[in-house]
Amino acid sequence: MSVQQHLLDLGDLFNFSDLSTFTQNIPIEWVASALDLSSQATIRRRRLPADQVLWLVLGMALFRDEPVHEVARRLNICAQGLATDHLLARSGVTEARKRLGSGPVEWLFRKTGNQWGGERYRDDSWQGLQVFAVDGALLRTPDTPELRDHFGSGNTPTERQTPFPMLRLVALMNVRSHVILDAQLSPYRRSEMRLADEFLEQVPNQSVTLFDKGFWSADLMLRLSGQGISRHWLTPARKNLVSEEVVRYGKNDRLVRMKVSPQARKRNPDLPTHWEVREVSYEIQGKLKTIMTSLPAATYSANAVAKLYQERWEIELGFRDIKSSMQQNAMTLRSKKIDLVYQEVWGLLLAYNMIRREASQAAVAFGRAPSDIRFKPACQYIAVQLIVMAAANPISAMGRRLADLRAGVGGMFLDHHPRPSRPRTVKISKTRFPVDRKAAPLK
């Protein structure tokens, strides 16, 4: 019997609508296909089967301050529907996660990210182009010999190691909906640029992708713009770039020609010896900034291009939402095995995307843009509602509960009012010692 058929036969024991926010967004066929990747897939009816372990991994991302076995109890995750300490041992949760592995969670994240990341919403384009961003972040793992040997750690000026092993994350994000289309995880020593190479083909047509300066590469940029239709890029110029002017479009707008480095041509012999790039300069806070782009000057003005690059910070906000709002500022991941670390992070990214998509659907219902909804209150609201839904009858009024949830999320819009100006002032530092204002000045 296939895993798909087995899951469909579980209706009498478990209904996927227990977590209706999850299952409304993720079709059961996707779940079945993901679980089919698990090498431990079996028709044996376990106390904590793989289908529910998948929801448990997602619950771990939403309840970071709770132990894993408590997350299972809160979400009512168990074959019998009563995940109490008597029915579900703590060691059983860990073993169930090991049986599931990281592969199914990673597959499900990529499937949903590719599907949701390209969805169109109100005001989600820039002059007809969808806007994406690529950037990297670091996550800290527990300090065990196994994890340190696999993930490695950061550079230090001495031979001393950094306190914790580090995992590298590079993501491709839709900056208007903040949904992550794709991502790569790796040990610390792998290059962000090489990781970005692996999901380059996921960038949709009719788009512009914003890069940090650390991704500057003729190979990367030429392949992005050369594949597909109207796939453009934008990145800050690196210092000390040697170029020659080809065409002058305006005072701070020109086309330049640069040599492709021998190292890049050795890695990819198909690269040309030279390539041409548009260079746009602009002033911000009294400093002159320069960006490079493939956007043609005939269609996109220099002012518009310069303003567009400011949206690159949206991906930084997405990383902040994951680290601060979802992880509740917990600096270290909770898993202590290599595969479970990857499973935890893939579950974190999947849960983040589901919150973003649910918020986007709420925004559409209110005629607003997805980026108008505040992430942290939406995350907390959905987490609380999941506990309520898990304890309720899964069948009756499911559609009404989901509509109520989206209505609640829709009440969390940002207020786009200008912030009052508060000039910076230098204040005396706080001290626990009394200050003698009559004391004589120091000589």
Side-chain angles (χ1 to χ4, degrees):
M1 181 186 296
S2 67
V3 176
Q4 289 95 329
Q5 186 60 46
H6 173 59
L7 292 176
L8 294 175
D9 291 340
L10 298 182
D12 294 335
L13 296 174
F14 175 79
N15 190 295
F16 280 91
S17 299
D18 281 348
L19 302 177
S20 59
T21 300
F22 291 163
T23 57
Q24 185 79 6
N25 288 303
I26 304 179
I28 186 174
E29 294 82 5
W30 294 2
V31 176
S33 296
L35 296 181
D36 219 4
L37 299 176
S38 176
S39 60
Q40 301 296 329
T42 175
I43 62 174
R44 174 184 170 187
R45 188 61 185 172
R46 297 181 180 272
R47 179 161 293 175
L48 194 56
D51 51 324
Q52 296 187 45
V53 179
L54 180 60
W55 306 133
L56 173 61
V57 172
L58 298 178
M60 288 170 53
L62 295 175
F63 301 96
R64 178 60 181 85
D65 58 341
E66 299 284 354
V68 179
H69 70 279
E70 179 65 16
V71 175
R73 188 192 68 81
R74 282 179 174 273
L75 295 182
N76 205 14
I77 294 177
C78 184
Q80 290 87 349
L82 295 171
T84 65
D85 291 338
H86 298 289
L87 294 177
L88 195 60
R90 299 187 184 188
S91 60
V93 174
T94 302
E95 292 303 315
R97 289 184 60 202
K98 290 180 180 179
R99 289 194 301 270
L100 176 66
S102 62
V105 190
E106 176 184 356
W107 184 92
L108 197 55
F109 161 76
R110 296 190 190 281
K111 180 69 174 179
T112 54
N114 184 260
Q115 182 78 15
W116 301 340
E119 291 178 336
R120 306 302 298 260
Y121 295 99
R122 179 176 178 265
D123 299 330
D124 70 341
S125 64
W126 176 82
Q127 299 195 22
L129 302 176
Q130 282 190 290
V131 186
F132 302 93
V134 173
D135 205 356
L138 294 175
L139 300 172
R140 199 168 78 176
T141 75
D143 188 13
T144 68
E146 179 186 5
L147 295 181
R148 185 172 287 277
D149 181 64
H150 177 80
F151 290 108
S153 56
N155 297 320
T156 64
T158 67
E159 295 182 355
R160 297 169 60 189
Q161 295 178 319
T162 51
F164 291 88
M166 306 297 290
L167 176 147
R168 189 178 296 281
L169 160 67
V170 177
L172 170 67
M173 179 181 290
N174 185 322
V175 302
R176 298 298 175 90
S177 67
H178 285 200
V179 171
I180 298 176
L181 277 76
D182 207 345
Q184 290 291 331
L185 305 178
S186 80
Y188 174 81
R189 295 297 176 185
R190 284 209 62 188
S191 163
E192 288 184 345
M193 195 181 302
R194 300 284 77 83
L195 293 174
D197 284 340
E198 300 185 23
F199 55 63
L200 205 62
E201 61 184 18
Q202 300 296 334
V203 178
N205 294 328
Q206 307 293 336
S207 65
V208 55
T209 304
L210 315 178
F211 291 91
D212 188 18
K213 62 182 178 181
F215 292 89
W216 175 258
S217 164
D219 187 15
L220 184 70
M221 304 305 173
L222 288 174
R223 284 193 295 113
L224 175 61
S225 57
Q227 300 172 356
I229 303 172
S230 296
R231 299 205 307 173
H232 298 284
W233 53 267
L234 189 61
T235 184
R238 298 184 65 176
K239 291 184 178 180
N240 303 321
L241 279 178
V242 179
S243 63
E244 59 176 321
E245 183 176 310
V246 178
V247 179
R248 170 68 64 171
Y249 301 123
K251 180 181 178 181
N252 296 316
D253 191 3
R254 62 177 185 162
L255 183 70
V256 298
R257 179 184 292 115
M258 296 175 294
K259 293 182 67 173
V260 177
S261 69
Q263 296 83 355
R265 297 191 66 219
K266 182 178 180 180
R267 191 163 44 246
N268 182 3
D270 295 331
L271 289 175
T273 58
H274 294 75
W275 64 315
E276 295 182 352
V277 177
R278 182 185 178 192
E279 180 186 271
V280 175
S281 299
Y282 62 99
E283 185 174 321
I284 181 170
Q285 296 180 352
K287 295 182 179 180
L288 190 65
K289 304 288 185 179
T290 302
I291 52 179
M292 317 297 276
T293 183
S294 64
L295 292 165
T299 309
Y300 307 98
S301 69
N303 289 337
V305 171
K307 186 177 180 181
L308 170 65
Y309 186 71
Q310 307 309 310
E311 295 194 38
R312 194 200 70 79
W313 295 105
E314 295 297 323
I315 191 171
E316 301 285 2
L317 297 179
F319 288 149
R320 183 199 64 182
D321 291 336
I322 292 173
K323 291 183 175 183
S324 178
S325 300
M326 296 186 69
Q327 291 291 90
Q328 300 189 16
N329 293 319
M331 300 296 294
T332 308
L333 299 171
R334 63 169 100 200
S335 302
K336 297 182 179 180
K337 294 295 181 181
I338 295 174
D339 196 43
L340 297 188
V341 168
Y342 284 113
Q343 180 194 81
E344 180 180 347
V345 178
W346 289 124
L348 184 64
L349 296 177
L350 178 56
Y352 167 82
N353 269 359
M354 286 191 295
I355 294 171
R356 278 297 182 190
R357 186 169 191 266
E358 194 62 38
S360 297
Q361 298 296 320
V364 170
F366 283 81
R368 300 285 293 272
S371 58
D372 287 342
I373 290 185
R374 294 178 291 168
F375 180 84
K376 185 174 182 178
C379 178
Q380 294 171 339
Y381 181 81
I382 289 175
V384 171
Q385 291 301 312
L386 287 177
I387 298 175
V388 176
M389 292 177 182
N393 183 353
I395 298 178
S396 63
M398 181 188 71
R400 179 179 57 80
R401 290 203 309 274
L402 188 62
D404 292 343
L405 187 150
R406 289 182 179 170
V409 173
M412 302 173 185
F413 289 108
L414 291 166
D415 295 324
H416 295 288
H417 297 304
R419 295 182 179 179
S421 175
R422 295 187 179 91
R424 297 185 63 182
T425 57
V426 178
K427 299 180 180 179
I428 188 172
S429 60
K430 294 182 180 180
T431 174
R432 61 189 179 93
F433 300 105
V435 177
D436 186 357
R437 299 186 182 279
K438 298 181 179 180
L442 296 175
K443 298 294 184 179

